[in-house]
Amino acid sequence: MARLPVYLQILADQAAAGVANISSEGLAELAGVNAAKVRKDLSYLGSYGTRGVGYEVDYLVYQIRRELGLDHDWPVVIVGAGNLGQALAGYGGFTDRGFPVAGIVDIDHDKVDTLVGGARVRPLDELPQIVAAKNVSIGVIATPPAAAQDAADRLVKAGVTSILNFAPVVLSVPVGITIRKVDLAVELQILSYHEQRRASAQGGQLHAVPNEPGRGVTA
Amino acid sequence: MARLPVYLQILADQAAAGVANISSEGLAELAGVNAAKVRKDLSYLGSYGTRGVGYEVDYLVYQIRRELGLDHDWPVVIVGAGNLGQALAGYGGFTDRGFPVAGIVDIDHDKVDTLVGGARVRPLDELPQIVAAKNVSIGVIATPPAAAQDAADRLVKAGVTSILNFAPVVLSVPVGITIRKVDLAVELQILSYHEQRRASAQGGQLHAVPNEPGRGVTA
DNA sequence: CGAACAATGTGCACAGATTCACAAGCTGAC
DNA sequence: GTCAGCTTGTGAATCTGTGCACATTGTTCG
């Protein structure tokens, strides 16, 4: 389930805040989802909570980490040292959460040997060596669209089995390779879709409904 | 539907390549989804294709753009000029696709007035003026987790109605505000989950199944 | 003009996810 | 020890989304 990381995030926060136990309802509230859903998700994990009390935060964190494979680090290699690649390499959030940057490569020789976020950019050709040396199984594609498929091919050939793709293209990879795509422009387009609907709804009805003052949690 | 932007992307590529008509099957192939799904999605749009021929690419692009509200630009304001904020501001993909950066603000006065991607960082206090002056309705949060809720509150107060949140926290906003969250670490955790399953599956069964050589499109 | 062909649009059935509601079980107080 | 109060875990109903199959309709060729 794609919600486990969200729970994990919240639980880690709670643990840091000194909370020892949490109920499914409390966790649901914080995650902005239904309480029954939380229980189903956690029961699927096999993790046992205690009836009448709730879940022990530390134990739950341990269980989710284990399930997600976060009991050890997963080095990642970044292909493309442009704006986005540099930001990702420099973004502390990766290393902090168990995904150290094993290396960053670029095809442009002008970028090679420049320093970004503590790592030195290596030439694209060295990708296989980096993957082999650091035992990398996750690759990140931060190249322009036109170069993304080639980057994917090279990553797969080098032995990477999971790819996070930031380029706005649909990649074709052998079966057995896991791909996730994050397209920033698509996210904005979805927002603009909502804005559009908002605008036409207001234009359509004469008596526009003002935003209610209530607060809701939106994940 | 969240698939429209993907179709749009592909259709724009096809249009640029000189393709005039496309069938639901062709589009489905390129998007890595089912053909019936494509037809359902497009029929929901009200867009009419021609039976026996397919869809006219240009017209479809126009229709989807219209539906998504992409017939005009949507200026965005970025809160947080750290690693990620700077990359986003400098990332050409935003402006190119109709989301020009109206401004970027940061609470840190040392960052104010520095140049990132052609824009000058403004102090956080000027957020309301920027939003009002450029008629911004979309905000992007690229702050550290602890500052994200404050950023959201300020954006809403300034009049922004849609927020793209890169901080790994669940934000609480008034109903009527649209939020989308992109958590890079969560994406990696989902990949590590698959890696974990892969590893335990291989360890579990003595005769590991090698990756099939076939190719599949994975979105 | 008519018939064969091609591709859309949609009714229907199915699968998966979500939510409700409740029985089962733990805790703590008297 | 028993009882009241919570909270989990899960069966059942529901809803959403997906995919198949086919009738419908436009095109093209003879």
Side-chain angles (χ1 to χ4, degrees), chain B:
Chain B
M1 303 286 185
R3 277 185 302 269
L4 285 180
V6 178
Y7 299 154
L8 178 58
Q9 176 70 33
I10 293 167
L11 289 168
D13 285 356
Q14 294 296 306
V19 178
N21 284 38
I22 193 167
S23 71
S24 63
E25 195 154 358
L27 182 50
E29 171 101 9
L30 291 171
V33 300
N34 185 285
K37 201 187 299 187
V38 170
R39 289 201 294 274
K40 273 242 167 79
D41 289 345
L42 296 184
S43 79
Y44 163 78
L45 258 188
S47 283
Y48 292 161
T50 347
R51 303 181 183 218
V53 174
Y55 300 88
E56 190 193 343
V57 175
D58 287 341
Y59 183 61
L60 208 47
V61 166
Y62 170 78
Q63 282 292 339
I64 297 181
R65 285 201 122 94
R66 180 170 187 76
E67 176 74 12
L68 291 179
L70 298 177
D71 37 8
H72 63 83
D73 281 0
W74 293 95
V76 302
V77 62
I78 300 175
V79 181
N83 251 307
L84 192 56
Q86 291 181 27
L88 294 175
Y91 179 50
F94 276 12
T95 307
D96 291 352
R97 299 227 235 146
F99 299 94
V101 177
I104 176 169
V105 299
D106 200 294
I107 203 172
D108 180 1
H109 282 82
D110 289 349
K111 293 215 182 89
V112 170
D113 272 340
T114 57
L115 281 171
V116 291
R120 216 166 73 241
V121 176
R122 305 303 310 152
L124 182 56
D125 299 327
E126 287 186 18
L127 186 57
Q129 289 89 313
I130 295 173
V131 170
K134 304 270 183 81
N135 208 17
V136 176
S137 53
I138 299 180
V140 176
I141 296 181
T143 67
Q149 182 62 56
D150 178 54
D153 292 343
R154 286 170 181 264
L155 281 170
V156 170
K157 199 168 181 185
V160 161
T161 44
S162 288
I163 295 178
L164 181 57
N165 175 31
F166 285 92
V169 292
V170 179
L171 296 177
S172 149
V173 292
V175 298
I177 305 294
T178 307
I179 288 214
R180 287 192 68 85
K181 182 179 162 190
V182 174
D183 189 332
L184 304 179
V186 163
E187 299 297 327
L188 286 176
Q189 286 174 6
I190 293 174
L191 288 180
S192 90
Y193 167 73
H194 285 112
E195 287 296 323
Q196 171 76 2
R197 289 183 65 86
R198 212 188 304 273
S200 47
Q202 294 223 346
Q205 61 186 43
L206 287 180
H207 302 286
V209 180
N211 284 342
E212 298 174 28
R215 288 206 147 215
V217 170
T218 321

Side-chain angles (χ1 to χ4, degrees), chain A residues 12 44 79 206:
Chain A
Y44 164 79
V79 181
L206 287 179

